[in-house]
Amino acid sequence: MNKPKIVVLDGFILNPGDISWGEIESISDLTVYDRTDYNKVYEAAKDAWGILNSKVVIDKKLMQSLPNLKYIGMLATGYNVVDIEAAKELGITVTNVRG
């Protein structure tokens, strides 16, 4: 069984080195980028099932260009950088942390 591809777009912000990505790696084909500019997200996530994110804007245009994308996990309390209406329209689940 193939593991889903998950990309972390801003890993340094989320984890400057003090925690392990091991649990996520155990269930996915994980790639962690320290920082990803908006104009490089497509290349980083073009085959991804899921994106883990904190600060990178994920708009409708970007979501439409990522046909495998089914999940966006915000590793912060907010999700203002994600076009929630577009995600809903495209059937992409968006979550964030509770606190």
Side-chain angles (χ1 to χ4, degrees):
M1 183 170 129
N2 290 338
K3 293 180 179 181
K5 181 174 180 172
I6 296 177
V7 296
V8 178
L9 297 179
D10 45 10
F12 184 79
I13 294 167
L14 302 168
N15 177 15
D18 57 344
I19 61 173
S20 168
W21 295 108
E23 297 250 353
I24 299 169
E25 286 176 315
S26 72
I27 62 165
S28 70
D29 173 9
L30 180 69
T31 303
V32 179
Y33 298 95
D34 281 345
R35 292 179 176 84
T36 308
D37 292 329
Y38 174 84
N39 61 354
K40 299 203 179 202
V41 173
Y42 171 77
E43 191 59 36
K46 65 183 174 190
D47 299 322
W49 170 89
I51 290 175
L52 300 178
N53 184 39
S54 180
K55 306 270 185 213
V56 180
V57 172
I58 303 176
D59 58 18
K60 184 175 186 175
K61 178 181 174 185
L62 181 58
M63 285 184 254
Q64 288 174 320
S65 74
L66 301 171
N68 297 329
L69 187 63
K70 301 294 179 215
Y71 175 76
I72 300 168
M74 296 303 300
L75 300 177
T77 55
Y79 47 84
N80 60 312
V81 296
V82 177
D83 184 337
I84 297 299
E85 290 303 314
K88 185 176 180 180
E89 176 185 319
L90 296 167
I92 299 169
T93 300
V94 179
T95 63
N96 67 327
V97 295
R98 294 181 70 193

